Amino acid sequence: MTRVYGHYDEAMLPLSPPAPALITADIDGTFVDDKGAIPPKNLDALQRARDNGLDFCLVTARPPRWLTRFRGLSAGAIYAANGAYVLDAATGAILEDRGFSISEVRAVARVLAPVSGIALSAETAEGFVRERAFPSAPAAGERDRESDATFTLLSEISCGAGKILAVSSLLDTEEFYREVRSRIKGLAELHVSTSDGLAELSPLGISKATALAHACHARRIEPAQVWAVGDMPNDLPMLNAAGVGIAVRNAHPDLHAHADALAPANTDAGVAHVIDAALRARALARTTLET
């Protein structure tokens, strides 16, 4: 990003930002605290946004199976699996599946098979599919049970997937990411949403930026009318595409380096600060138009 607006108040948000029509926010590390709980201040701020006609939308790497308790918080849709699934915000039903086909999942599994210590899993429209060697690592506030998963080799999978997950028990994180990137060229895109060496693979052209574009098209607004909030490298495409890209204080250094503005940490209800700043910007815009 090259836009720099300056900062003001405790939220360290833009001094003279464009008034947004929509706020998009990541979930883990951004909208929820470190235990996966939604800060009450965030819920209160969401109500203020609704009361004042400001749209809010969750854009997450989480799969649909971990989004039940977030229903009703977004306007219109929730974007899951880094944008591969578009869910009805009220019911959680999958409205659009932009994930991998069966043949594409199998192709990715084949090219990654030679990687040392590799283990794969997939988040699908039907649920969680994982190889026996893939460790269970649920998001904060969620849990995985063996009964929740279907165990099979991804090279033999019988359904498509919103995203493919990969870990290595033998390679260090950066070496692993380099190896994965080199092997999936032309097949998939690598995203990083955790700090534990997990590689998340999405279909070509699918990212949180395409989720933001979809949300804008549905509302007939421009990306410049969006403020986006996140904490990890997989959020960067969304922050780059938005009119204002905001990193929470606990964000990965890459986001601090590229964001337009800084908000309080997820544990300090940073999203609530963003919403309230957006409402102030909208009020100021209305006042300016009326004078």
Side-chain angles (χ1 to χ4, degrees):
M1 291 185 183
T2 58
R3 305 180 298 274
V4 178
Y5 295 105
H7 305 290
Y8 82 108
D9 81 14
E10 74 283 357
M12 295 289 284
L13 293 169
L15 182 62
S16 300
L22 170 67
I23 292 176
T24 61
D26 169 55
I27 293 182
D28 293 290
T30 303
F31 185 66
V32 299
D33 65 21
D34 291 344
K35 294 182 179 180
I38 304 171
K41 288 182 179 179
N42 284 351
L43 294 175
D44 292 343
L46 276 183
Q47 188 58 55
R48 289 191 292 276
R50 292 190 196 100
D51 292 344
N52 288 275
L54 173 61
D55 267 1
F56 178 84
C57 181
L58 292 170
V59 182
T60 179
R62 284 185 176 220
R65 64 194 177 95
W66 286 342
L67 292 173
T68 301
R69 62 193 176 95
F70 298 95
R71 292 176 188 172
L73 299 181
S74 283
I78 299 175
Y79 295 88
N82 289 316
Y85 294 129
V86 183
L87 310 184
D88 183 283
T91 67
I94 296 177
L95 303 175
E96 293 185 36
D97 183 342
R98 303 187 288 178
F100 293 103
S101 66
I102 297 173
S103 61
E104 288 170 338
V105 176
R106 291 178 175 180
V108 170
R110 285 195 298 271
V111 299
L112 291 179
V115 177
S116 299
I118 192 82
L120 303 174
S121 69
E123 295 288 359
T124 80
E126 289 77 30
F128 189 38
V129 177
R130 68 183 175 105
E131 299 176 349
R132 286 284 177 183
F134 190 91
S136 175
E142 310 298 336
R143 63 177 182 170
D144 272 343
R145 297 167 298 190
E146 289 217 349
S147 59
D148 294 332
T150 299
F151 292 92
T152 188
L153 295 174
L154 261 63
S155 58
E156 300 173 1
I157 198 168
S158 59
C159 62
K163 66 177 182 177
I164 298 168
L165 308 174
V167 295
S168 171
S169 60
L170 298 177
L171 302 179
D172 66 53
T173 298
E174 291 307 315
E175 182 182 4
F176 178 53
Y177 287 163
R178 284 194 300 271
E179 182 78 2
V180 168
R181 282 193 183 97
S182 69
R183 290 180 176 276
I184 63 171
K185 285 181 180 178
L187 294 174
E189 296 184 7
L190 172 65
H191 298 288
V192 176
S193 67
T194 70
S195 57
D196 57 2
L198 177 69
E200 298 188 32
L201 310 184
S202 294
L204 295 173
I206 295 297
S207 72
K208 290 193 176 187
T210 57
L212 184 146
H214 187 283
C216 288
H217 179 76
R219 292 166 173 79
R220 298 184 180 179
I221 63 173
E222 298 297 323
Q225 295 173 269
V226 180
W227 288 13
V229 197
D231 73 307
M232 287 300 288
N234 68 317
D235 295 316
L236 266 177
M238 178 173 71
L239 269 61
N240 282 327
V244 177
I246 302 166
V248 284
R249 198 176 291 273
N250 54 289
H252 188 282
D254 286 355
L255 269 74
H256 281 209
H258 292 91
D260 295 317
L262 182 67
N266 65 317
T267 52
D268 293 323
V271 169
H273 288 268
V274 172
I275 290 172
D276 286 336
L279 292 174
R280 291 195 294 271
R282 285 164 61 89
L284 177 60
R286 286 193 298 270
T287 301
T288 301
L289 287 172
E290 291 168 359
T291 57

